[in-house]
Amino acid sequence: MPKDIRLALKEIGPDGYRVRHAPAAPASRGASGSSVGGFSDEPRRKPLGPDQLTKSRYMTGVTESKREMWFEARGELSPDVGNRWRMEQGNLVAELAREEFPEGTFVGGPPSEAQLQPTRPLFEVRFSVRDMTIRVDVLRPAPSGGWVVTEVKSSTMTSRSSRKEARQDVAFQAYVLGRAGLPLQGAEVMHLNPEYVHPDGGELFARTDLTGELGEQIQEARENAPEFTSVLRRDEPPNLWPSRACNTCDCPEPCHSLPEHSVLTLPRLYYGHLDEIIEEGRWTLEELQGHSHLKPKHENYIQAAQAGEPYVDTSEVRDALSELEYPLYFLDFEAIDYALPPFEGTSPWEKVPFQYSLHVVEEGQPLGREEVAHKEFLWTEEGDPRRPLAERLVQDIGPEGSIVVYNATFEKGILEDLQEAFPQWEDRFESYIHRLWDQGEIFQEGHYVHPSQKGSWSLKTVLPAFDPDLKYGDLDVQEGMEAVVQYSRMISPETSDSEAREIEEDLLAYCEQDTWAMVVIHKSVTELL
């Protein structure tokens, strides 16, 4: 049976890391109250009451909205499968980070008076001040007395948003610790080093000192905390209407009823422009026509929505299709990313491809499902999937012809990583990268707009416009992060052979659907011209 590549305790060199890659809990297939997407529903610790402003709720309030914070506190808004995967990975990182403080003590709750003497590091320390509660990852003695708060992040801290959120997170902790009377002398973030290469290419962890740099964020926490705690005490969620937050709100109950098409469904409208239009009180498409902030892609969308039929810029679509060279290789990868890289030559959160689907279309051939050749790969064995995947890929893709993908950024990144990992095929992968053709650009740029897309250009929203009977909802795996979680289950030694085979079939069906969807779209768009 398949074995878990994230196996139990794994020792990796004197300068490497030791990590327990625990397999995800089995997911029930439709049973309620058991598990979702491969993760156990059982909480790690007893949740606090909904009126408590915790660190996670504070961050939801500042990065998402107060309304989402309210629902989250009541257990009515849960992390999606992608966030849950990252949380599980984060737990492994937090556990490993404690080994950087060998004299430390796990507290797991409020500290005792003796523990509050700054003599040794403390882990998972809880502090409560009125309606605010935090749990500090690491509280370590400062060299000159007092304490240093160390926030552990599984992120590599390379994006501006991750750095901003880390500062807000640590600042809220510093604010609460100050209210609790703790003599805090410093603050830092301990995060994964993006330059680390497994198994011994540098230090796994890096630290960013924030001491003396959190004044603005602490003032933000000082202003937000009273308002947030007041919101959490309410019997009803706050109403955000009207605001930009309505555009991305995941709350189970809407604040306001909008028509199917509105300012919030305009494709890729700059946030600043969206804020200005909302302030002007314009919401419907009729009110938006001719607005100075609208670009051609927005006008195309409005035209399609009002007409109730697709808008097609035949000239642009024809020019795009003219770039294609046969045979056409419709390609889609699935890849898994680990916070703690288990394979030689990989780095934290590097995407490791484990599967691909490939439909091959010859010029002039019928485009029925039975006529189009299909090739696929899914690694089900122990170890690094990249080499066997690369070996098969260079056999399946010939030396000529366009490689059709949907959103080329992802596939290009996978091919570039494979090129670096396997220099013996450097020229082949370089050829593949140059031959990429992004089908998604037709829809992203508004050259084809269907009202049913509602401003989105994702494959799953575009496909129904061409084949409403080809539905992802009919599949047991329906999106990329779910494929990652199910793959981690499939390769776990705790998964039975029969269940592993069932997951294998689900993964193959999902990946094939992505490339077949591109073939269907290609056929339909070509027939429009």
Side-chain angles (χ1 to χ4, degrees):
M1 64 178 287
K3 296 183 178 179
D4 189 4
I5 58 173
R6 302 180 296 146
L7 199 58
L9 290 176
K10 195 170 184 180
E11 297 286 350
I12 308 180
D15 300 319
Y17 57 80
R18 190 187 83 234
V19 56
R20 186 182 68 233
H21 286 298
S28 65
R29 302 178 68 83
S32 62
S34 175
S35 60
V36 179
F39 298 111
S40 171
D41 281 350
E42 183 178 350
R44 289 181 171 268
R45 56 178 72 98
K46 185 178 180 180
L48 296 168
D51 59 339
Q52 286 292 300
L53 180 60
T54 64
K55 185 170 61 172
S56 63
R57 293 169 189 172
Y58 176 81
M59 290 305 298
T60 299
V62 296
T63 61
E64 302 296 338
S65 72
K66 291 175 288 187
R67 185 175 178 86
E68 291 187 60
M69 177 188 70
W70 188 93
F71 278 106
E72 178 188 303
R74 283 153 180 79
E76 298 182 46
L77 193 63
S78 301
D80 61 24
V81 66
N83 285 330
R84 294 181 75 175
W85 170 259
R86 286 183 283 273
M87 288 166 62
E88 289 290 324
Q89 294 288 296
N91 290 334
L92 297 174
V93 172
E95 181 179 338
L96 186 63
R98 294 175 199 141
E99 297 184 9
E100 300 291 307
F101 308 93
E103 301 300 319
T105 298
F106 185 88
V107 179
S112 65
E113 287 295 331
Q115 289 171 331
L116 282 178
Q117 301 304 313
T119 58
R120 63 174 55 201
L122 306 176
F123 306 138
E124 294 283 314
V125 197
R126 194 176 76 193
F127 292 88
S128 296
V129 180
R130 295 189 177 182
D131 294 332
M132 299 182 296
T133 297
I134 61 170
R135 189 179 290 262
V136 179
D137 291 336
V138 183
L139 197 62
R140 63 179 179 85
S144 57
W147 296 94
V148 174
V149 60
T150 299
E151 170 68 10
V152 178
K153 293 291 187 186
S154 59
S155 162
T156 55
M157 297 276 287
T158 52
S159 70
R160 179 180 298 179
S161 61
S162 66
R163 293 192 295 271
K164 177 182 178 181
E165 290 177 16
R167 297 173 76 89
Q168 291 173 314
D169 189 327
V170 177
F172 178 66
Q173 295 179 65
Y175 169 67
V176 175
L177 292 172
R179 292 287 303 275
L182 193 81
L184 194 63
Q185 301 299 321
E188 65 180 3
V189 178
M190 183 176 176
H191 56 90
L192 293 174
N193 177 9
E195 303 299 323
Y196 173 79
V197 178
H198 183 70
D200 54 8
E203 295 294 330
L204 177 64
F205 287 105
R207 298 194 193 189
T208 300
D209 188 5
L210 299 179
T211 304
E213 299 181 9
L214 296 175
E216 180 180 341
Q217 290 78 20
I218 291 175
Q219 179 60 29
E220 179 185 35
R222 186 177 293 113
E223 295 171 357
N224 284 333
E227 181 183 6
F228 286 5
T229 54
S230 175
V231 166
L232 291 173
R233 287 194 296 266
R234 296 179 191 174
D235 293 331
E236 299 292 332
N239 191 314
L240 302 180
W241 178 263
S243 75
R244 186 214 305 167
C246 302
N247 196 35
T248 56
C249 182
D250 292 323
C251 296
E253 301 172 11
C255 292
H256 191 83
S257 178
L258 274 175
E260 181 181 16
H261 304 283
S262 72
V263 64
L264 297 181
T265 58
L266 284 177
R268 300 169 65 213
L269 181 64
Y270 290 125
Y271 279 160
H273 292 169
L274 176 59
D275 285 337
E276 290 181 24
I277 293 174
I278 290 174
E279 288 175 6
E280 295 170 7
R282 303 192 190 194
W283 292 94
T284 67
L285 299 190
E286 290 74 18
E287 294 171 319
L288 292 170
Q289 276 189 302
H291 196 285
S292 60
H293 286 331
L294 301 190
K295 297 184 180 297
K297 61 188 173 190
H298 304 131
E299 299 287 2
N300 297 347
Y301 167 70
I302 292 175
Q303 178 179 326
Q306 290 181 332
E309 59 185 30
Y311 167 87
V312 185
D313 187 329
T314 54
S315 175
E316 291 286 356
V317 173
R318 184 180 292 110
D319 287 347
L321 293 177
S322 69
E323 299 172 359
L324 292 172
E325 297 181 2
Y326 285 85
L328 306 181
Y329 296 92
F330 293 83
L331 174 66
D332 178 68
F333 288 112
E334 300 300 331
I336 191 168
D337 50 358
Y338 298 102
L340 302 173
F343 306 126
E344 182 176 354
T346 59
S347 297
W349 295 115
E350 180 176 332
K351 294 188 180 300
V352 177
F354 59 84
Q355 179 181 10
Y356 68 78
S357 173
L358 189 71
H359 276 93
V360 185
V361 173
E362 302 289 345
E363 188 168 13
Q365 78 165 95
L367 295 182
R369 196 146 196 171
E370 298 301 322
E371 290 86 3
V372 175
H374 179 245
K375 302 178 181 182
E376 60 189 0
F377 175 90
L378 174 61
W379 184 242
T380 61
E381 305 300 325
E382 181 181 6
D384 189 342
R386 293 175 301 163
R387 177 178 287 276
L389 180 144
E391 290 175 342
R392 181 75 64 81
L393 192 66
V394 297
Q395 296 174 23
D396 287 346
I397 296 182
E400 297 179 348
S402 297
I403 299 173
V404 182
V405 296
Y406 205 95
N407 189 8
T409 302
F410 176 74
E411 269 73 24
K412 181 181 179 182
I414 295 294
L415 291 171
E416 288 175 339
D417 287 345
L418 291 174
Q419 181 183 30
E420 182 177 354
F422 305 109
Q424 65 269 40
W425 296 309
E426 180 179 1
D427 292 342
R428 296 292 293 274
F429 287 120
E430 183 70 20
S431 168
Y432 297 164
I433 292 167
H434 285 300
R435 290 156 56 191
L436 289 176
W437 186 87
D438 193 343
Q439 187 181 72
E441 287 186 358
I442 291 176
F443 308 96
Q444 183 182 15
E445 298 301 324
H447 303 323
Y448 179 100
V449 182
H450 194 282
S452 65
Q453 295 172 226
K454 297 181 183 179
S456 170
W457 61 278
S458 74
L459 184 59
K460 293 175 180 62
T461 56
V462 168
L463 178 60
F466 298 99
D467 189 345
D469 296 325
L470 193 59
K471 300 175 181 177
Y472 281 85
D474 295 336
L475 302 175
D476 288 309
V477 173
Q478 300 175 15
E479 53 96 9
M481 278 309 305
E482 189 176 357
V484 167
V485 172
Q486 294 302 326
Y487 175 72
S488 73
R489 289 184 55 223
M490 183 187 72
I491 60 178
S492 168
E494 297 183 8
T495 301
S496 67
D497 289 344
S498 60
E499 189 175 12
R501 284 193 295 271
E502 188 174 1
I503 296 172
E504 180 180 353
E505 292 174 3
D506 293 343
L507 289 171
L508 291 172
Y510 167 69
C511 199
E512 180 181 0
Q513 175 112 324
D514 275 349
T515 53
W516 179 246
M518 288 189 277
V519 175
V520 169
I521 292 171
H522 173 75
K523 178 177 183 293
S524 301
V525 170
T526 302
E527 291 173 348
L528 292 173
L529 304 180

XYZ file of all heavy atoms in Angstrom, residues 7-66:
443
model
N 6.559 10.737 7.306
C 6.496 9.607 8.216
C 7.044 9.952 9.593
O 8.154 10.441 9.717
C 7.275 8.440 7.612
C 6.992 7.047 8.145
C 5.545 6.688 7.982
C 7.859 6.034 7.420
N 6.231 9.723 10.620
C 6.570 9.762 12.036
C 7.732 10.695 12.359
O 7.758 11.832 11.940
C 6.849 8.352 12.521
N 8.704 10.238 13.141
C 9.852 11.074 13.503
C 10.981 10.848 12.525
O 11.396 9.722 12.288
C 10.331 10.728 14.914
C 9.390 11.137 16.043
C 9.946 10.644 17.359
C 9.209 12.636 16.083
N 11.477 11.920 11.959
C 12.480 11.797 10.905
C 13.692 12.639 11.271
O 13.601 13.855 11.364
C 11.876 12.264 9.584
C 12.680 11.861 8.362
C 11.879 12.161 7.101
C 12.607 11.672 5.877
N 11.853 11.945 4.648
N 14.815 12.007 11.503
C 16.042 12.732 11.839
C 16.780 13.087 10.555
O 16.987 12.236 9.696
C 16.958 11.843 12.696
C 16.361 11.452 14.040
C 16.362 12.609 15.022
O 16.978 13.635 14.723
O 15.737 12.473 16.090
N 17.166 14.348 10.447
C 17.809 14.788 9.220
C 19.052 15.589 9.554
O 18.991 16.810 9.683
C 16.843 15.615 8.353
C 15.546 14.839 8.156
C 17.463 15.963 7.026
C 14.530 15.542 7.325
N 20.166 14.923 9.732
C 21.454 15.604 9.851
C 21.604 16.413 11.131
O 20.638 16.830 11.747
N 22.827 16.668 11.549
C 23.077 17.408 12.785
C 22.609 18.848 12.717
O 22.280 19.450 13.731
C 24.603 17.324 12.945
C 25.120 17.092 11.554
C 24.077 16.262 10.881
N 22.574 19.438 11.514
C 22.151 20.823 11.371
C 20.772 20.927 10.739
O 20.338 22.018 10.397
C 23.165 21.607 10.524
C 24.532 21.609 11.156
O 24.608 21.749 12.384
O 25.506 21.462 10.405
N 20.096 19.802 10.561
C 18.778 19.832 9.947
C 17.698 19.992 10.990
O 17.863 20.667 11.987
N 16.560 19.335 10.758
C 15.480 19.454 11.721
C 14.865 18.098 11.956
O 14.969 17.187 11.155
C 14.416 20.451 11.230
C 13.820 20.122 9.892
C 12.815 19.161 9.759
C 14.260 20.781 8.742
C 12.279 18.864 8.527
C 13.722 20.486 7.504
C 12.720 19.522 7.401
O 12.179 19.228 6.191
N 14.209 17.981 13.084
C 13.446 16.777 13.372
C 11.982 17.177 13.368
O 11.583 18.160 13.996
C 13.807 16.212 14.745
C 13.224 14.828 14.982
C 13.448 14.358 16.409
N 12.438 14.898 17.296
C 12.693 15.576 18.402
N 13.925 15.826 18.744
N 11.724 16.016 19.172
N 11.176 16.430 12.680
C 9.784 16.839 12.555
C 8.876 15.632 12.489
O 9.225 14.632 11.873
C 9.579 17.723 11.303
C 10.039 17.020 10.057
C 8.113 18.123 11.140
N 7.756 15.741 13.150
C 6.754 14.697 13.027
C 5.730 15.151 12.003
O 4.935 16.055 12.265
C 6.049 14.457 14.371
C 5.098 13.268 14.312
C 4.368 13.050 15.622
N 3.423 14.124 15.889
C 3.389 14.829 17.013
N 4.264 14.600 17.953
N 2.488 15.780 17.188
N 5.753 14.547 10.832
C 4.768 14.876 9.800
C 3.561 13.976 10.006
O 3.446 12.915 9.407
C 5.346 14.656 8.397
C 6.328 15.709 8.002
N 5.992 17.022 7.877
C 7.646 15.638 7.719
C 7.041 17.719 7.510
N 8.052 16.919 7.413
N 2.663 14.377 10.867
C 1.499 13.544 11.153
C 0.543 13.562 9.979
O 0.262 14.614 9.417
C 0.782 14.073 12.389
N 0.013 12.400 9.578
C -0.951 12.376 8.481
C -2.247 13.044 8.881
O -2.627 13.042 10.053
C -1.161 10.873 8.233
C -0.828 10.225 9.529
C 0.259 11.056 10.142
N -2.899 13.629 7.906
C -4.185 14.255 8.189
C -5.205 13.204 8.573
O -5.159 12.069 8.120
C -4.667 15.020 6.950
N -6.147 13.597 9.410
C -7.173 12.659 9.837
C -8.057 12.278 8.670
O -8.346 13.099 7.804
C -8.017 13.301 10.935
N -8.531 11.029 8.594
C -9.379 10.609 7.495
C -10.645 11.444 7.428
O -11.224 11.808 8.441
C -9.694 9.138 7.825
C -8.616 8.717 8.757
C -8.237 9.936 9.534
N -11.063 11.751 6.222
C -12.289 12.522 6.033
C -13.451 11.589 5.783
O -13.330 10.621 5.057
C -12.133 13.478 4.838
N -14.581 11.903 6.373
C -15.767 11.104 6.091
C -16.295 11.485 4.723
O -16.190 12.626 4.301
C -16.830 11.366 7.153
O -17.272 12.705 7.083
N -16.904 10.566 4.041
C -17.437 10.832 2.716
C -18.932 11.066 2.846
O -19.753 10.200 2.592
C -17.135 9.671 1.775
C -15.654 9.388 1.662
C -15.400 8.204 0.753
N -15.751 8.518 -0.627
C -14.962 9.154 -1.478
N -13.784 9.558 -1.093
N -15.354 9.388 -2.707
N -19.269 12.280 3.340
C -20.664 12.653 3.424
C -21.249 12.535 4.815
O -22.348 13.024 5.071
N -20.574 11.893 5.751
C -21.108 11.789 7.099
C -20.988 13.124 7.801
O -20.036 13.857 7.631
C -20.360 10.716 7.890
N -21.989 13.455 8.611
C -21.960 14.748 9.296
C -21.291 14.617 10.649
O -21.328 13.577 11.285
C -23.400 15.259 9.473
O -24.136 14.360 10.270
N -20.673 15.725 11.086
C -20.102 15.791 12.414
C -18.839 15.001 12.594
O -18.406 14.757 13.707
N -18.210 14.553 11.528
C -17.006 13.745 11.678
C -15.779 14.523 11.272
O -14.964 14.896 12.089
C -17.141 12.471 10.847
O -15.956 11.727 10.880
N -15.614 14.757 9.983
C -14.463 15.510 9.514
C -14.757 16.076 8.159
O -15.648 15.644 7.457
C -13.222 14.611 9.449
O -13.438 13.547 8.572
N -13.993 17.089 7.795
C -14.192 17.772 6.524
C -12.856 17.931 5.844
O -11.910 18.433 6.434
C -14.835 19.168 6.731
C -15.002 19.858 5.399
C -16.175 19.049 7.444
N -12.749 17.485 4.605
C -11.542 17.721 3.831
C -10.300 17.081 4.400
O -9.191 17.510 4.148
N -10.435 16.027 5.218
C -9.261 15.334 5.710
C -8.764 15.815 7.055
O -7.762 15.351 7.549
N -9.457 16.753 7.691
C -9.031 17.260 8.979
C -10.050 16.890 10.041
O -11.251 16.935 9.816
C -8.883 18.790 8.953
C -7.859 19.263 7.994
C -8.219 19.947 6.842
C -6.518 19.021 8.213
C -7.271 20.383 5.959
C -5.561 19.469 7.320
C -5.940 20.141 6.193
N -9.586 16.582 11.219
C -10.480 16.247 12.322
C -11.219 17.487 12.788
O -10.667 18.573 12.860
C -9.679 15.654 13.478
O -10.486 15.521 14.624
N -12.518 17.328 13.112
C -13.312 18.429 13.649
C -13.056 18.654 15.137
O -13.449 19.659 15.698
C -14.803 18.150 13.475
C -15.262 18.439 12.060
O -14.483 19.021 11.295
O -16.374 18.064 11.734
N -12.409 17.729 15.811
C -12.211 17.830 17.241
C -11.216 18.947 17.550
O -10.095 18.952 17.064
C -11.675 16.509 17.784
C -11.510 16.515 19.301
C -11.016 15.183 19.805
O -10.982 14.221 19.025
O -10.661 15.110 20.999
N -11.616 19.945 18.350
C -10.713 21.069 18.635
C -9.532 20.634 19.476
O -9.623 19.703 20.266
C -11.608 22.054 19.394
C -12.674 21.209 20.004
C -12.894 20.072 19.046
N -8.418 21.348 19.313
C -7.215 21.029 20.078
C -7.370 21.461 21.536
O -6.765 20.910 22.419
C -6.006 21.728 19.458
C -5.588 21.120 18.130
C -4.375 21.835 17.564
N -3.854 21.118 16.408
C -2.920 20.194 16.470
N -2.419 19.859 17.634
N -2.488 19.593 15.389
N -8.127 22.524 21.769
C -8.341 22.994 23.134
C -9.749 23.563 23.213
O -10.353 23.928 22.202
C -7.312 24.045 23.522
C -7.268 25.232 22.582
C -6.258 26.263 23.045
N -4.911 25.825 22.850
C -4.177 26.188 21.799
N -4.685 26.957 20.862
N -2.937 25.768 21.670
N -10.283 23.646 24.415
C -11.627 24.154 24.610
C -11.706 25.601 24.146
O -10.939 26.452 24.585
C -12.021 24.053 26.078
C -13.456 24.465 26.346
C -13.799 24.297 27.816
C -15.245 24.723 28.077
N -15.606 24.573 29.495
N -12.639 25.919 23.235
C -12.707 27.296 22.737
C -13.213 28.248 23.807
O -13.972 27.881 24.703
C -13.703 27.186 21.571
C -14.549 25.993 21.900
C -13.643 25.043 22.614
N -12.763 29.496 23.706
C -13.222 30.523 24.633
C -14.599 31.005 24.214
O -15.042 30.802 23.088
C -12.233 31.693 24.636
C -10.827 31.362 25.158
C -9.882 32.493 24.832
C -10.862 31.108 26.661
N -15.284 31.677 25.138
C -16.607 32.194 24.841
C -16.574 33.229 23.731
O -15.529 33.836 23.457
N -17.724 33.470 23.091
C -17.756 34.381 21.934
C -17.482 35.833 22.279
O -17.230 36.640 21.381
C -19.178 34.195 21.398
C -19.978 33.700 22.553
C -19.036 32.867 23.364
N -17.537 36.189 23.589
C -17.303 37.586 23.947
C -15.828 37.901 24.169
O -15.457 39.050 24.417
C -18.089 37.944 25.209
C -17.714 37.068 26.401
O -17.179 35.963 26.171
O -17.962 37.490 27.546
N -14.954 36.884 24.079
C -13.525 37.094 24.301
C -12.822 37.496 23.006
O -12.985 36.842 21.968
C -12.880 35.828 24.852
C -13.217 35.549 26.307
C -12.583 36.581 27.233
O -11.365 36.723 27.273
N -13.406 37.287 27.992
N -12.058 38.562 23.071
C -11.264 39.000 21.916
C -9.928 38.278 21.961
O -9.035 38.630 22.733
C -11.056 40.516 21.950
C -10.241 41.098 20.786
C -10.917 40.820 19.454
C -10.023 42.597 20.980
N -9.802 37.248 21.149
C -8.566 36.478 21.086
C -7.669 37.037 19.990
O -8.073 37.901 19.204
C -8.866 35.008 20.794
O -9.459 34.911 19.476
C -9.819 34.411 21.815
N -6.476 36.499 19.927
C -5.524 36.935 18.903
C -6.069 36.654 17.502
O -5.992 37.511 16.615
C -4.188 36.222 19.123
C -3.069 36.671 18.209
C -1.740 36.098 18.656
C -1.708 34.584 18.640
N -0.344 34.056 18.885
N -6.619 35.462 17.292
C -7.114 35.118 15.957
C -8.328 35.957 15.583
O -8.481 36.370 14.431
C -7.451 33.625 15.875
O -8.505 33.301 16.765
N -9.196 36.223 16.567
C -10.372 37.046 16.271
C -9.967 38.486 15.983
O -10.557 39.144 15.115
C -11.363 36.975 17.441
C -11.982 35.599 17.612
C -12.756 35.468 18.917
N -13.162 34.070 19.136
C -13.720 33.621 20.255
N -13.931 34.471 21.265
N -14.055 32.351 20.377
N -8.986 38.977 16.723
C -8.498 40.326 16.446
C -7.965 40.417 15.017
O -8.269 41.375 14.293
C -7.395 40.705 17.434
C -6.770 42.054 17.144
C -7.390 43.231 17.558
C -5.578 42.160 16.434
C -6.840 44.474 17.283
C -5.011 43.396 16.153
C -5.651 44.549 16.582
O -5.102 45.779 16.289
N -7.194 39.410 14.600
C -6.631 39.443 13.256
C -7.720 39.343 12.188
O -7.613 39.959 11.124
C -5.610 38.307 13.090
C -4.333 38.514 13.894
S -3.532 40.104 13.544
C -3.160 39.898 11.792
N -8.776 38.580 12.445
C -9.895 38.557 11.504
C -10.536 39.931 11.413
O -10.902 40.399 10.329
C -10.946 37.519 11.939
O -10.353 36.219 11.943
C -12.146 37.514 11.001
N -10.654 40.601 12.551
C -11.247 41.928 12.557
C -10.464 42.943 11.769
O -11.044 43.783 11.068
N -9.128 42.903 11.863
C -8.315 43.914 11.178
C -8.021 43.550 9.725
O -7.806 44.433 8.898
C -6.992 44.197 11.926
C -7.266 44.800 13.283
C -6.135 42.949 12.051
N -7.996 42.251 9.406
C -7.656 41.866 8.027
C -8.890 41.546 7.185
O -8.815 41.623 5.959
C -6.726 40.640 8.015
O -7.393 39.523 8.627
C -5.436 40.923 8.758
N -9.989 41.168 7.826
C -11.209 40.852 7.069
C -12.294 41.871 7.410
O -12.417 42.884 6.758
C -11.678 39.417 7.387
C -10.634 38.347 7.073
C -10.287 38.242 5.620
O -11.106 38.666 4.776
O -9.189 37.750 5.302
N -13.074 41.610 8.438
C -14.119 42.555 8.848
C -14.616 42.203 10.239
O -14.463 41.077 10.716
C -15.296 42.527 7.858
O -16.035 41.315 7.995
N -15.250 43.178 10.887
C -15.826 42.947 12.210
C -16.996 41.970 12.135
O -17.248 41.230 13.086
C -16.282 44.272 12.811
C -15.143 45.213 13.180
C -15.643 46.544 13.665
C -16.214 47.372 12.519
N -16.571 48.745 12.931
